[in-house]
Amino acid sequence: MSRRHALACAMALCAFIHAGNAAASPTPEDLIAAYRQTVRQQLHPPEQELRYYADAADRMLRDAGIALHEPQYIAVVDRNPHVQALLLLWDDPGTGVRLVGASPVSTGRTGSFDHFRTPTGVFEHNVSDGDFRALGTRNEFGIRGYGEKGSRVYDFGWQRAVRGWGRGGIGTMRLQMHSTDPDMLEPRLGTVQSKGCIRIPSTLNALLDRFGVLDADYEAAASEGRNAWVLLPTREPVAGAGRYLIILDSRRPQRPAWSPRPF
């Protein structure tokens, strides 16, 4: 993504936010519209696919001993190499699940040193793990691993995962969800590329950040005067902010039409 396009998307997101009633929290309908208008890379899974992921997420939450008593947003990632997608869901125990939007991602690519297979499970986003913002620095290959300066890095703490090099086995990795280099790596979203973390489009990162979609714990802490520095001062928090990232593997043998390979 060019800097000009990134700026245009950011301006569009700001314009969308201020077009409505500034005093009201954005609704699921608002977020769906914002996703459609501002997230650059989108996927469109059919209804039966939404049902599959919603049921799988519900089962994994129950297996983890988690019951959602109030409507909230959840992020579901399919790490399957033939899918590589994130679905953002509005989960209302009373009325069911709605798709807010879906986008391509990149998860762990095995076969190289210090590369892990992205772990599956239910991961809680909380202040004890400590999000931060990208510095925008480049490595020796000229790549901005966390994306452009200021991009939010969502941290889910130390997790056990399968090593993708040497003799394999189980090791520990820091599970994060973040943007990636807009010029060299973002075009590769939709294929396995990362060292184990989840790479997402920069415009999706901006949407999650601006609306506080997964910031339930951070907003609670901020209301008590704690850990507020990472939150945008211009944010417009949604009602029903969530806190769960669910990573699964659909074990598909081939790529579905709704999640095409980018290159």
Side-chain angles (χ1 to χ4, degrees), residues 27-65:
T27 65
E29 290 75 17
D30 293 332
L31 197 61
I32 291 170
Y35 202 112
R36 290 173 178 169
Q37 293 176 24
T38 66
V39 176
R40 186 186 181 205
Q41 294 170 277
Q42 297 187 37
L43 302 173
H44 303 285
E47 182 63 30
Q48 65 268 26
E49 296 282 5
L50 170 60
R51 179 48 46 199
Y52 166 79
Y53 287 108
D55 289 346
D58 180 65
R59 184 167 55 252
M60 291 177 71
L61 285 166
R62 284 189 282 106
D63 289 346

Side-chain angles (χ1 to χ4, degrees), residues 7-176:
L7 178 61
C9 289
M11 292 176 65
L13 183 56
C14 289
F16 176 86
I17 291 169
H18 294 294
N21 182 357
S25 295
T27 65
E29 290 75 17
D30 293 332
L31 197 61
I32 291 170
Y35 202 112
R36 290 173 178 169
Q37 293 176 24
T38 66
V39 176
R40 186 186 181 205
Q41 294 170 277
Q42 297 187 37
L43 302 173
H44 303 285
E47 182 63 30
Q48 65 268 26
E49 296 282 5
L50 170 60
R51 179 48 46 199
Y52 166 79
Y53 287 108
D55 289 346
D58 180 65
R59 184 167 55 252
M60 291 177 71
L61 285 166
R62 284 189 282 106
D63 289 346
I66 298 169
L68 302 184
H69 299 293
E70 300 293 336
Q72 61 187 272
Y73 296 96
I74 58 174
V76 180
V77 169
D78 189 347
R79 74 173 187 185
N80 184 282
H82 299 301
V83 182
Q84 294 289 288
L86 180 150
L87 286 76
L88 183 60
L89 307 180
W90 171 248
D91 192 335
D92 185 336
T95 61
V97 173
R98 298 178 64 183
L99 177 67
V100 175
S103 292
V105 301
S106 287
T107 64
R109 173 177 55 83
T110 58
S112 298
F113 176 71
D114 203 29
H115 283 60
F116 291 84
R117 190 177 189 191
T118 303
T120 59
V122 177
F123 304 96
E124 185 174 356
H125 183 229
N126 57 60
V127 296
S128 63
D129 292 317
D131 287 6
F132 57 95
R133 293 192 176 274
L135 297 177
T137 53
R138 300 176 186 269
N139 64 15
E140 65 270 29
F141 304 108
I143 293 174
R144 292 164 286 180
Y146 284 134
E148 293 187 331
K149 184 177 181 179
S151 296
R152 180 88 171 265
V153 178
Y154 292 85
D155 198 308
F156 295 88
W158 291 104
Q159 304 295 340
R160 293 172 59 80
V162 175
R163 297 187 187 95
W165 75 98
R167 296 182 179 179
I170 302 295
T172 55
M173 59 160 285
R174 195 77 180 184
L175 180 61
Q176 297 170 336

Side-chain angles (χ1 to χ4, degrees), residues 180-193:
T180 190
D181 188 277
D183 302 314
M184 302 177 71
L185 297 180
E186 189 160 329
R188 295 172 177 256
L189 294 177
T191 59
V192 289
Q193 296 288 332

